[in-house]
Amino acid sequence: MSAPSPTAHSVVVGGSTAARVIACPASVRLSATVPPRPSSQYADMGTMLHNAIADTLTSSLPRSDAIGSSYAGQTLTDDIYDEKIAPALAALDVIDPEEGMTVSIEARVSFGDWLPGVFGTCDVLGRLGNRAVVLDWKFGDGVIVDAEENAQLMFYAAAAMRTEEFRPVFKGATEIELIIVQPPEVRRWVTTPERIRQFELLLKRSVTMSESSAAPMVMGPHCRFCPAKPVCPLMTGAAARAVDTQLVGLPARDIGAALVLASQLEKWIEDLRTLAITMLTAEHPIPDWKLVAKRGMRKWIDDAAAEAALLALLPESDVMEHSLVSPAKAEKALKKLKLDLAPGLYHSISSGTTLARADDPRAEALSIGRQLTAALKHIQ
Ligand code: SF4
């Protein structure tokens, strides 16, 4: 079987945008006003991996045939297979150890006339006993995705329940299991058909609200991937307020809120620059701005010829560089031989401290002053 084509997305709401549209219905109309963002290498890598695992599952593609498959310049290597595809396939064995699950791969699901224009593609749909299974592969490492109350998976479950072809998957099911496989992690949450029906009512209400010019606009974590961010009045207003905020003397109680705003604005700045580059590349002028070539980096035209020419003039130590690989790289290489990195060979040194929310699972770093105070308390 050939690799599936990249998934087409609903312009109203799809699985990956469900949480945002529910939280901020106004984002639908606003997103339609900005040009589509160019794909990134991370997105292309995700598509390549989705295609590879879909092919592997639908046509029992052996590893040797999967290696080398590519999409938009991203190629499946042995290392990437070991890191992403192999653990994802192993997760399926844990979920369905008896191999009794009937599955549909890359299932196109939609709400039909109940919610026109709203559809998506679910990675894996299956049925095990009284339980319907809805699974999504997440191959990125940047954002940890949880299964509990996951709007994307609930969207797929609700749409699949309304798609004629997949009704048998849910017929008589008393439980619906939502699963995120984000190698090496698997996160699972079991819910009920009733919860999914509640969710779809909320989704429908949000989509209906999104059609109104008075649709609610709400900032929050869902803004992260909103395409309308560069032109969103809440974001631009927040940026203007941030610029006007006098940091000297800012009370501690306001610094926490300002830090939340700062992380939202960081992504806004990044998206604003991407939008400007997209427009200028497409020859839409932006007053006072233009594209220029980045500074050139010198590269050898022919490595072997350059090496020979330089060795004729300089000692080898001035021409060649050898350095030890990092513990992470060494560990990866050893893993292939099913060997462990000896703990006595390395230590972990923090390069300093970084900001985190109070509910972050990492232990709080103590300052030297506080460590001394704590130690003195023990002496007294
Ligand atoms: S950036 Fe946030 S607040 Fe603005 S439209 Fe998008 S989701 Fe809504």
Side-chain angles (χ1 to χ4, degrees), residues 14-36:
S16 59
T17 54
R20 186 218 336 133
V21 172
I22 289 169
C24 177
S27 65
V28 176
R29 282 160 76 103
L30 205 54
S31 297
T33 65
V34 292

Side-chain angles (χ1 to χ4, degrees), residues 304-321:
E307 184 183 328
L310 291 170
L311 284 175
L313 303 169
L314 295 165
E316 187 177 346
S317 57
D318 283 352
V319 176
M320 308 303 288
E321 280 181 344

